[in-house]
Amino acid sequence: MSGTNAASGAAPCRFAHYFVICGIDTETGLEPDELAGENFEQSPLKRTFKSKVLAHYPENVEWNPFDQDAVNMLCMPKGLSFRTQADSREPQFHSFLITREDGSRTYGFVHTFYEEVTSPQICSAMQTLYQMHQAENPSSATPSSSSSSSMDSLASSLDEADSPSSSSCRSAACGGYDASRDTLYVSKALCLITPMPFMHGCRRFLSQMHWAVTAASPPPLPLESYVHNILYEVPLPPPGRSLKFHGVYEPIVCQRPGPGELPLADFPLGQTFTLLGVENLVQLFNCTLLEMQILLYSQDYQRLMTVAEGITTLLFPFQWQHVYVPILPASLLHFLDAPVPYLMGLQSKEGTDRSKLELPQEANLCFVDIDNHCIELPEDFPQFPNKPEFIQELSEVLLHYDISPVGGAPPTSVSTSSTTTTPGSVYTRHPGLKSQQALRELEDDGRNGNLGGEQLAVLELLQGNATLERLQALAKRTGVRVEALKGVGGEREGQGRRTAVEEEELRNAKLNVQLREVFASRFTTMFADYEAFVIQSAPDLESWLTNREQMHNFDKASFLSDQPEPYLPFLSHFIETQMFATFIDNKIMSQWEEKEPLLRVFDGRIDKARLYNVRAPSLRSSNYQRCTILKESAQAIEQRLMKIDHTAIHPHLLDMKIGQGKYEQGFFPKLQSDVLSVGPTNNNRWSNRTATAQRRKDRHRQQTEHLTLDNDLKEKYMQEARSLGKNLRQPKLSDLSPAVIAQTNWKFVEGLLKECRMKTKRMLVEKMGREAVELGHGEANITGLEENTLIASLCDLLERIWSHGLQVKQGKSALWSHLLHYQAREEKLEQQQAESPVSNGPERRKSESSIGMPSLRASVIQDMRHIQSMGEIKTDVGRARAWIRLSLEKKLLSQHLKQLLSRQALTKKLYKRYAFLRCEEEKEQFLFHLLSLNTVDYFCFTSVFTTIMIPYRAVIIPIKKLSNAMTTSNPWVCVSGELGDSGVRQITKNVLEMTFDCQNLGKLTTVQLGHDNSGLLAKWLVDCVMVRNEITGHTYKFPCGRWLGKGVDDGSLERVLIGELALPNADEDFGRGCRTPDMQHSPGQTRRVSITSMGGRGYKPTSAQIQEAIGEAVNSICKHFHKPEKERGSLTILLCGEVGLVGALEQFFHNGFKSARLFQKTVFVWDFVEKAVAYMESADQMGDMQETAEPLGLTCVSLCHYVSAINSSPRNIGKDGKFQLLVCLGARDRLLIQWLPLLLECPVIQQMYEESALLRDRTTVNALIAVLQTLHDFPITLEASLVKGIDL
């Protein structure tokens, strides 16, 4: 037991935690790997067999427990692979990582090579399998069948070309395995497990270990010495320092960035850019930021890891928060079913086509085919800001290092090529003599191998000699032995020179850091002021964690309003992601805890940027700012690698039993576990230091545990606080029993439900106004941009739910595919119903009882047909999204999906038992959450598909109780909306209903209704006009309640009616749940009876009410202009609607108006205006106006001019219509406040108004002028339907 403790004494500071050996277990023999998908038609040499962890040292490390199954699975993701002497047996290198529950990571680096099988049982088992295979498939004994095995996939296609096994050699072996004739080889893996990704160092160490075994002469020291050294005597380099430690043959240098620099990233980014090209990489980066599902695809495991790590490294200061499995073992393929964002790497089998790859969901998938240098992007997502300039800057950095920005070129450098050619390869057979002499001295040296400078220089130069290396590779290819190369002069090269490999590593490190700096500087620019929008509302950590879900942590609306317009589409999506939420959480928690390292570096950079440049002027500028610290960042790394800060203890002889583990060329020996399970006794300074530091840490931890809340509880809070997506970072690799798979799926189901609850809640809160204000969201104002982002993420969630647990995938959109299945079944039934005419009876009667508008039946199929007829949408994913938007706008989303899922036989046929859609209780809750969206109005279909043709139905409803429902004249109608108007449409006499198709008008605002006054019954009393959008079902009501006809009412033959969205009637609204109050009223207020409404004719408002109404009308207009331009809605309603400005001013003018009927003729306000104008014109002619001040004279002229223009218009709009037009024009041209004093002064007022009238009270008029004055700040524009035919 003491062994384990000693082993873990200083583990957090150790370079490596475990050394692992995986391979074939000769005890258990050949076990087929069922999980990897067995294929019995393949030759036994090509099948996969189970590998085992043969040994790992030490037994366990306290803070990084050894997970045997996971390590075995990731060291040999495809299991064991066999070869014969006829096959290529190049060693391979790949890396992997394991993500623990808390999100921390452990890295693994694996060197896989082939070792001869010496066990006669295994050879004979393989022989038997081969004979059985031949008996079953006589045709398959072709020369190629043995040529490659599952391990081939590890090799990149590059090796195939170089492989010494020519086709003649294969055909000699006749493609089979014969124990008497062939030598059998099996894969074996050496692995280092480390806390930090020192990829280059581990790669060189492992390849030297392998060369030590294959070299002709034994290594200088027993292998245990090197393993013990790297496990216990090599520390992690301290931040900002470099460290040199020793492999078997040559020293290895690694460096670690300082506290202010970007965190360590050792995977070659240059290779990632070379494989994908800059354009593709930026698109992939964008998809990662927006948390889509990302699937990397390559034959080479190391490529998968390089691209995955490269992309996540570039996210600084953000971190990927979801499932992250850069190498997905074959046994975990069902994990692609995960209905959450993920970043996974899938190994492609040689020769398989991308089209044959069955992926459960592709609606939101970014598919990266690394080997073919191409990516497939999801539809319709916002681009990264300043993308062209960004790509340009990255390309310049790459060109500086001679890398083509286009990508697709095979990597040329030593360490980026997929095969493992390392300096160790010089030792293939006979290391040079000088080096052997140096090594002997190293072995005998009492001071642990501190060689004299000259000897060491010879040794290092020899091992790093690039020419030698090339000769070596060439020699190996041609089969020549390398004895002739003894002691080739390293003298010429001089002493201070770095080896080719070191040069390559330095170049990689500099390129890495410069590329990362370009990415990091984009975020520093974009989020320079993020702190100003963080909402710090909790008094302490505990209360913050407890209320995490209800808290509003970041003021998104204000942040977006502060950003340049071109950035908004991207930023509005990005600030909704989990990675951004976690970043803000970390920021808030940093007031109580130590800052998270990435956040500390990022904040440091922002502070530095502030010192150097006051950002205020460029605040809203979208100008591209280039990265300014490329040189310094590369210099820092070069200095560390040039000047080594620390050197670790050299490997040395251990206290071992003599004679065990005898050297046998080509075989990795069984190591002595007793010397490797225990670290050195704490006599060296480094261990002591770390042990004391650890004790200090423990003490500190105990104190803080007493002070703050119980750590387990806190951890639980933290896990919950970080909410979605995080609860599953990586599948449990160890136990893959059906129960565990079911549990994983259960986690997904719960996660999806929780996500649905959060999303619907967010959509409601953003939209509902009053409630949002109460929850501290400031004024309830959701921007269209934000709304669009939320709806897009709802579409994505529905796609993920529908693709969870699919039996067979058809098409890219799982939801649309389900709908098509449903449609096919329903249409058969519909046909049968259509053939029996009886079914339409009750439908007809019901429609007549409603007010003139036949009801629109809610039908999933009907909505699908609308979408299918839209030529603008080309893909299934697009159709599914449009269908969701349409259902949401119609408030039928929950009802439609319930209908779709009610066909249980279909759901069972399409989905596996564990699928979300087959979990009854969760499904019900999910539909209930969606039902809550019916409480708000969305126009997410109408506002997005603006160019489609839409059928409209218009119905004119006369007041029936009078005989004047009939008219002999020819009526016409013109419907206008926010996006245009329908043009004049003639209505057939006495039909009073019509349908017409025209391009989407958006939300409807006005209807012009008129007739030509022909025939005997030319007078017409109209109650209202109803217009319905036949696709979305939105019905607008345009109240009239007036006569149209000469000599009746105000003599109007044409009226402009202002509409608003009508409440659906009871039949139609069945099953939809509640709905919002009408659009222009704040949701909290009960509907005020409009003081201008026709119902209130006899009702006389008090002067206080009139003044309040004017104030509110002006206020609404001001608010309208304070909204972002795209969100404003219709100004016409605010001017002429029920509680609009015109109505309120009409009341003002009506107050105290002597409208007694003189000889049965009603007097209108317009009559007063005309008389006043006539008086002014005559006074002007008589010269009375000469004395008046010049501006007043001009005002008179303008009023007379406007009134005569309205009167001489060809339209017959009636007196009230004319007054409405005058007010609108006056408001637009800022003349109203000049006209009011004129009317007040005009003598006509005394004849037509009582003494107490508001218009005769100078103080009231001045107050009115002051209120109207506020409208001068805004550019009022009038709809074409209002000012048609007016020539000013």
Side-chain angles (χ1 to χ4, degrees):
M1 189 56 215
S2 65
T4 340
N5 285 345
S8 62
C13 297
R14 293 202 318 233
F15 182 85
H17 286 176
Y18 294 100
F19 179 78
V20 187
I21 304 161
C22 294
I24 191 164
D25 184 353
T26 46
E27 305 292 308
T28 55
L30 288 182
E31 289 183 84
D33 190 353
E34 300 90 5
L35 286 169
E38 197 46 85
N39 182 359
F40 290 105
E41 288 167 17
Q42 283 186 319
S43 147
L45 284 172
K46 281 189 152 186
R47 293 180 201 162
T48 47
F49 297 94
K50 279 185 185 168
S51 60
K52 289 270 169 68
V53 171
L54 303 178
H56 68 276
Y57 314 100
E59 200 54 43
N60 202 28
V61 172
E62 194 186 328
W63 16 70
N64 184 6
F66 188 73
D67 184 343
Q68 184 143 337
D69 298 305
V71 171
N72 179 34
M73 204 180 267
L74 292 166
C75 277
M76 297 192 144
K78 286 278 203 221
L80 293 170
S81 106
F82 287 89
R83 303 272 168 111
T84 64
Q85 78 285 352
D87 298 311
S88 152
R89 298 190 306 281
E90 277 296 314
Q92 297 302 327
F93 173 81
H94 79 274
S95 353
F96 63 81
L97 65 77
I98 295 175
T99 312
R100 287 195 289 274
E101 292 282 311
D102 61 355
S104 59
R105 291 173 179 177
T106 304
Y107 291 83
F109 299 96
V110 187
H111 181 92
T112 311
F113 59 98
Y114 285 88
E115 195 172 77
E116 191 180 323
V117 179
T118 50
S119 153
Q121 292 92 330
I122 287 176
C123 292
S124 64
M126 183 57 83
Q127 174 91 46
T128 314
L129 281 174
Y130 191 75
Q131 285 162 349
M132 284 162 61
H133 171 73
Q134 249 181 326
E136 287 164 24
N137 308 295
S139 62
S140 71
T142 57
S144 66
S145 67
S146 82
S147 70
S148 97
S149 74
S150 62
M151 190 65 185
D152 262 359
S153 43
L154 257 182
S156 74
S157 40
L158 298 172
D159 308 333
E160 288 297 304
D162 303 343
S163 81
S165 53
S166 62
S167 53
S168 61
C169 168
R170 284 177 185 170
S171 50
C174 285
Y177 170 65
D178 179 347
S180 60
R181 187 191 62 215
D182 293 323
T183 314
L184 189 63
Y185 293 88
V186 68
S187 54
K188 187 174 234 177
L190 305 179
C191 168
L192 271 182
I193 290 182
T194 65
M196 296 185 82
F198 289 108
M199 197 263 303
H200 287 100
C202 294
R203 182 176 192 157
R204 288 175 64 186
F205 177 83
L206 291 170
S207 66
Q208 288 184 47
M209 287 292 281
H210 177 221
W211 290 119
V213 175
T214 49
S217 51
L221 293 168
L223 292 180
E224 284 87 346
S225 296
Y226 304 106
V227 175
H228 184 276
N229 179 253
I230 198 153
L231 285 180
Y232 302 112
E233 296 170 332
V234 178
L236 280 174
R241 299 298 175 88
S242 53
L243 170 82
K244 176 157 124 184
F245 65 93
H246 291 267
V248 184
Y249 297 115
E250 58 174 6
I252 296 165
V253 176
C254 54
Q255 58 88 30
R256 187 172 164 190
E261 299 174 56
L262 294 175
L264 174 72
D266 206 23
F267 288 85
L269 270 178
Q271 187 183 353
T272 308
F273 277 87
T274 306
L275 287 167
L276 294 176
V278 183
E279 173 84 36
N280 282 345
L281 197 120
V282 169
Q283 290 286 41
L284 169 58
F285 171 67
N286 193 8
C287 292
T288 314
L289 284 172
L290 299 176
E291 296 188 334
M292 298 177 175
Q293 291 178 320
I294 292 164
L295 185 61
L296 310 175
Y297 192 62
S298 167
Q299 276 195 35
D300 184 335
Y301 290 126
Q302 185 57 14
R303 285 183 174 186
L304 292 174
M305 189 73 185
T306 302
V307 174
E309 279 292 284
I311 264 306
T312 49
T313 304
L314 296 175
L315 297 175
F316 168 88
F318 306 101
Q319 286 165 294
W320 180 256
Q321 298 297 326
H322 300 277
V323 175
Y324 182 58
V325 191
I327 296 175
L328 189 67
S331 51
L332 283 178
L333 287 185
H334 65 272
F335 223 76
L336 289 171
D337 207 8
V340 290
Y342 58 66
L343 202 167
M344 298 203 228
L346 183 62
Q347 196 232 10
S348 56
K349 294 188 181 67
E350 199 186 4
T352 50
D353 188 17
R354 149 79 177 108
S355 57
K356 293 195 181 74
L357 188 64
E358 278 293 304
L359 296 172
Q361 42 192 342
E362 294 183 49
N364 211 33
L365 180 74
C366 172
F367 181 84
V368 184
D369 188 341
I370 298 174
D371 301 340
N372 294 318
H373 323 293
C374 63
I375 71 177
E376 294 170 24
L377 294 166
E379 290 174 30
D380 184 35
F381 62 94
Q383 291 300 324
F384 192 69
N386 298 112
K387 190 173 136 204
E389 297 94 326
F390 183 42
I391 287 178
Q392 175 62 32
E393 186 175 8
L394 289 168
S395 304
E396 286 169 22
V397 174
L398 290 168
L399 288 167
H400 181 69
Y401 288 88
D402 304 323
I403 292 177
S404 156
V406 181
T412 49
S413 61
V414 178
S415 68
T416 52
S417 77
S418 314
T419 55
T420 317
T421 322
T422 68
S425 54
V426 177
Y427 295 100
T428 321
R429 295 289 169 260
H430 298 268
L433 285 187
K434 272 199 179 181
S435 66
Q436 275 187 330
Q437 178 197 345
L439 294 169
R440 213 168 291 118
E441 290 187 23
L442 174 61
E443 193 176 345
D444 301 335
D445 181 38
R447 294 158 298 148
N448 268 344
N450 295 323
L451 288 183
E454 189 190 333
Q455 293 157 309
L456 199 61
V458 170
L459 169 70
E460 290 188 22
L461 274 170
L462 188 67
Q463 277 141 25
N465 187 310
T467 323
L468 265 186
E469 207 171 315
R470 282 197 292 279
L471 276 170
Q472 158 68 26
L474 186 68
K476 200 168 67 182
R477 213 169 287 170
T478 50
V480 175
R481 296 177 77 91
V482 197
E483 282 170 288
L485 296 177
K486 291 173 186 171
V488 174
E491 294 81 9
R492 289 193 314 277
E493 304 231 356
Q495 286 226 354
R497 222 166 122 48
R498 287 194 290 268
T499 65
V501 170
E502 285 169 344
E503 282 291 351
E504 186 59 38
E505 281 183 19
L506 174 61
R507 179 173 170 276
N508 271 338
K510 284 161 69 173
L511 173 60
N512 264 19
V513 78
Q514 294 199 346
L515 289 168
R516 291 169 67 205
E517 288 291 359
V518 175
F519 280 85
S521 91
R522 294 308 310 122
F523 289 124
T524 322
T525 315
M526 266 191 272
F527 292 97
D529 296 320
Y530 85 96
E531 286 181 64
F533 303 97
V534 175
I535 300 169
Q536 308 267 19
S537 50
D540 56 59
L541 180 60
E542 192 173 346
S543 68
W544 182 78
L545 289 172
T546 321
N547 303 309
R548 168 71 194 89
E549 269 195 21
Q550 289 76 43
M551 291 270 189
H552 189 60
N553 289 338
F554 189 72
D555 186 351
K556 293 176 180 170
S558 307
F559 173 74
L560 289 175
S561 66
D562 209 33
Q563 302 309 309
E565 184 79 23
Y567 290 11
L568 293 181
F570 170 79
L571 284 175
S572 64
H573 274 73
F574 179 65
I575 60 176
E576 295 296 333
T577 58
Q578 186 67 38
M579 70 175 84
F580 185 76
T582 306
F583 173 74
I584 296 299
D585 286 356
N586 287 338
K587 178 68 183 172
I588 290 174
M589 288 187 336
S590 69
Q591 29 176 356
W592 302 295
E593 291 186 339
E594 201 183 339
K595 255 192 194 175
E596 195 269 332
L598 295 185
L599 179 67
R600 191 182 60 236
V601 177
F602 188 65
D603 282 354
R605 293 181 163 222
I606 287 179
D607 296 341
K608 198 168 163 190
R610 283 213 189 102
L611 281 176
Y612 291 126
N613 107 43
V614 181
R615 189 166 164 271
S618 62
L619 195 62
R620 283 191 63 95
S621 134
S622 57
N623 292 344
Y624 187 79
Q625 298 179 9
R626 293 174 76 91
C627 178
T628 52
I629 54 169
L630 292 181
K631 248 201 191 92
E632 298 99 282
S633 55
Q635 277 167 356
I637 285 188
E638 186 157 15
Q639 279 161 4
R640 275 200 292 274
L641 287 175
M642 296 284 287
K643 179 184 151 295
I644 306 299
D645 297 303
H646 302 279
T647 305
I649 295 173
H650 284 238
H652 51 87
L653 277 170
L654 301 170
D655 185 10
M656 282 164 53
K657 299 185 183 73
I658 305 298
Q660 285 197 1
K662 195 165 86 43
Y663 176 76
E664 201 179 335
Q665 186 179 359
F667 293 93
F668 198 87
K670 190 174 186 327
L671 301 180
Q672 291 187 29
S673 56
D674 51 347
V675 291
L676 292 179
S677 60
V678 189
T681 47
N682 284 347
N683 57 1
N684 66 64
R685 285 173 321 207
W686 169 64
S687 298
N688 270 329
R689 247 200 337 265
T690 46
T692 13
Q694 195 49 43
R695 280 199 296 278
R696 214 172 29 242
K697 252 189 179 157
D698 286 347
R699 265 204 311 280
H700 177 68
R701 198 177 68 220
Q702 285 163 357
Q703 286 167 354
T704 50
E705 272 177 25
H706 291 306
L707 296 173
T708 59
L709 59 159
D710 167 19
N711 249 18
D712 294 343
L713 182 66
K714 178 170 157 186
E715 198 46 49
K716 183 170 147 281
Y717 277 145
M718 297 288 289
Q719 289 305 322
E720 287 172 6
R722 298 212 155 100
S723 75
L724 278 174
K726 271 211 172 165
N727 38 24
L728 208 64
R729 293 291 187 78
Q730 184 167 5
K732 197 81 184 114
L733 297 179
S734 37
D735 177 10
L736 288 172
S737 62
V740 169
I741 292 177
Q743 191 189 353
T744 302
N745 276 299
W746 192 242
K747 269 192 175 168
F748 283 145
V749 169
E750 287 180 337
L752 285 171
L753 188 60
K754 184 173 184 187
E755 194 178 344
C756 179
R757 189 184 78 230
M758 307 279 280
K759 282 207 159 81
T760 48
K761 180 177 170 187
R762 175 83 206 282
M763 287 171 75
L764 283 176
V765 166
E766 289 289 5
K767 194 77 169 143
M768 278 193 63
R770 191 179 60 156
E771 183 189 342
V773 175
E774 281 171 9
L775 290 174
H777 291 241
E779 191 185 43
N781 168 25
I782 176 170
T783 66
L785 188 71
E786 237 175 312
E787 179 177 309
N788 225 357
T789 305
L790 292 173
I791 289 169
S793 82
L794 178 74
C795 293
D796 161 43
L797 172 68
L798 293 180
E799 276 297 357
R800 282 189 278 129
I801 286 175
W802 253 258
S803 51
H804 182 235
L806 264 181
Q807 295 274 19
V808 181
K809 182 176 159 286
Q810 295 167 324
K812 281 201 170 185
S813 164
L815 174 58
W816 191 250
S817 158
H818 192 168
L819 283 166
L820 289 172
H821 280 287
Y822 174 82
Q823 185 181 25
R825 291 190 174 201
E826 295 298 303
E827 279 180 345
K828 284 181 190 166
L829 295 172
E830 221 172 67
Q831 258 174 333
Q832 293 157 13
Q833 282 175 0
E835 283 154 19
S836 62
V838 193
S839 62
N840 286 339
E843 194 66 37
R844 269 282 77 97
R845 282 200 302 279
K846 186 173 79 178
S847 73
E848 273 159 33
S849 66
S850 71
I851 50 162
M853 187 66 91
S855 73
L856 200 60
R857 202 163 58 86
S859 138
V860 178
I861 304 294
Q862 196 48 51
D863 286 352
M864 283 185 71
R865 287 183 191 140
H866 287 313
I867 303 297
Q868 284 162 327
S869 66
M870 287 164 59
E872 293 82 350
I873 306 175
K874 305 280 186 265
T875 64
D876 284 355
V877 175
R879 288 184 193 102
R881 286 180 182 168
W883 183 85
I884 293 169
R885 283 174 176 275
L886 176 57
S887 307
L888 191 57
E889 183 163 326
K890 293 177 83 163
K891 303 192 179 196
L892 290 171
L893 183 59
S894 180
Q895 191 182 328
H896 276 354
L897 293 177
K898 189 173 188 170
Q899 183 66 36
L900 176 65
L901 296 170
S902 65
R903 302 285 180 267
Q904 290 190 329
L906 178 61
T907 314
K908 273 185 181 155
K909 185 182 128 189
L910 296 176
Y911 289 91
K912 296 174 185 148
R913 180 64 203 92
Y914 65 74
F916 182 94
L917 296 177
R918 288 187 61 187
C919 301
E920 288 308 313
E921 199 178 315
E922 281 65 27
K923 185 176 78 184
E924 284 305 312
Q925 289 186 46
F926 156 72
L927 292 170
F928 177 73
H929 289 313
L930 289 182
L931 185 64
S932 66
L933 293 176
N934 290 3
T935 52
V936 290
D937 291 319
Y938 280 104
F939 286 87
C940 49
F941 180 83
T942 312
S943 59
V944 169
F945 301 101
T946 51
T947 56
I948 59 171
M949 293 301 284
I950 287 186
Y952 289 93
R953 179 186 295 268
V955 180
I956 297 164
I957 299 166
I959 292 180
K960 285 214 168 91
K961 56 183 180 240
L962 302 157
S963 57
N964 300 72
M966 303 289 284
T967 175
T968 52
S969 55
N970 300 300
W972 56 268
V973 66
C974 172
V975 182
S976 305
E978 290 176 357
L979 301 174
D981 68 53
S982 64
V984 170
R985 308 265 171 174
Q986 293 295 335
I987 304 175
T988 320
K989 244 184 256 186
N990 298 324
V991 172
L992 305 184
E993 181 177 328
M994 64 179 302
T995 51
F996 58 90
D997 286 0
C998 77
Q999 191 170 314
N1000 188 351
L1001 299 174
K1003 291 181 197 167
L1004 302 187
T1005 49
T1006 61
V1007 159
Q1008 298 160 61
L1009 174 69
H1011 63 78
D1012 61 359
N1013 203 36
S1014 60
L1016 295 170
L1017 295 171
K1019 295 170 184 156
W1020 195 24
L1021 183 58
V1022 176
D1023 179 46
C1024 65
V1025 178
M1026 307 287 285
V1027 181
R1028 182 171 68 205
N1029 174 328
E1030 294 290 271
I1031 291 183
T1032 66
H1034 282 313
T1035 306
Y1036 293 82
K1037 182 176 183 179
F1038 298 86
C1040 177
R1042 309 277 300 262
W1043 286 90
L1044 279 93
K1046 278 273 188 262
V1048 62
D1049 201 334
D1050 65 348
S1052 172
L1053 291 184
E1054 171 189 336
R1055 292 194 185 278
V1056 178
L1057 310 177
I1058 312 298
E1060 54 180 52
L1061 205 53
L1063 275 82
N1065 59 35
D1067 294 328
E1068 244 181 294
D1069 205 28
F1070 178 69
R1072 292 202 201 183
C1074 41
R1075 89 178 265 301
T1076 30
D1078 280 340
M1079 296 223 332
Q1080 345 28 305
H1081 309 288
S1082 89
Q1085 286 177 332
T1086 45
R1087 284 291 299 276
R1088 227 183 27 242
V1089 176
S1090 158
I1091 52 179
T1092 54
S1093 64
M1094 294 313 293
R1097 274 246 133 142
Y1099 157 78
K1100 283 228 167 64
T1102 63
S1103 53
Q1105 283 173 324
I1106 292 171
Q1107 285 170 290
E1108 188 194 344
I1110 292 173
E1112 277 193 23
V1114 170
N1115 204 9
S1116 299
I1117 294 171
C1118 297
K1119 278 186 179 171
H1120 167 91
F1121 283 102
H1122 277 110
K1123 289 180 187 170
E1125 202 167 330
K1126 291 176 185 155
E1127 329 300 338
R1128 287 181 185 167
S1130 166
L1131 184 59
T1132 310
I1133 290 177
L1134 301 180
L1135 287 170
C1136 313
E1138 208 179 348
V1139 288
L1141 182 64
V1142 172
L1145 284 175
E1146 222 168 61
Q1147 286 298 330
F1148 188 88
F1149 275 86
H1150 268 292
N1151 181 273
F1153 188 55
K1154 299 178 182 169
S1155 58
R1157 294 170 169 241
L1158 310 170
F1159 314 108
Q1160 300 303 301
K1161 187 166 177 259
T1162 313
V1163 186
F1164 291 87
V1165 174
W1166 185 250
D1167 294 326
F1168 162 64
V1169 174
E1170 282 188 322
K1171 282 189 176 171
V1173 166
Y1175 168 77
M1176 288 173 206
E1177 283 175 338
S1178 62
D1180 189 24
Q1181 283 157 13
M1182 289 163 66
D1184 289 3
M1185 291 298 234
Q1186 296 305 320
E1187 295 82 58
T1188 56
E1190 188 61 35
L1192 203 56
L1194 287 175
T1195 309
C1196 276
V1197 172
S1198 73
L1199 179 59
C1200 300
H1201 174 54
Y1202 275 67
V1203 171
S1204 71
I1206 291 169
N1207 274 330
S1208 55
S1209 149
R1211 294 167 71 185
N1212 292 302
I1213 51 176
K1215 293 181 178 175
D1216 281 349
K1218 290 177 179 176
F1219 179 74
Q1220 171 173 297
L1221 191 49
L1222 182 68
V1223 172
C1224 290
L1225 292 169
R1228 181 190 73 183
D1229 301 338
R1230 301 172 186 175
L1231 293 169
L1232 269 182
I1233 60 170
Q1234 297 173 21
W1235 292 343
L1236 282 168
L1238 279 182
L1239 295 172
L1240 173 68
E1241 301 295 341
C1242 182
V1244 178
I1245 199 167
Q1246 290 151 19
Q1247 302 162 26
M1248 301 188 75
Y1249 279 88
E1250 290 159 11
E1251 190 69 46
S1252 62
L1254 290 174
L1255 192 57
R1256 288 183 67 177
D1257 178 358
R1258 196 173 292 276
T1259 323
T1260 313
V1261 172
N1262 286 339
L1264 174 61
I1265 288 171
V1267 170
L1268 294 175
Q1269 177 86 46
T1270 53
L1271 295 179
H1272 287 200
D1273 300 340
F1274 308 113
I1276 291 177
T1277 48
L1278 300 179
E1279 214 174 291
S1281 60
L1282 293 175
V1283 294
K1284 199 159 70 180
I1286 300 293
D1287 180 17
L1288 287 168

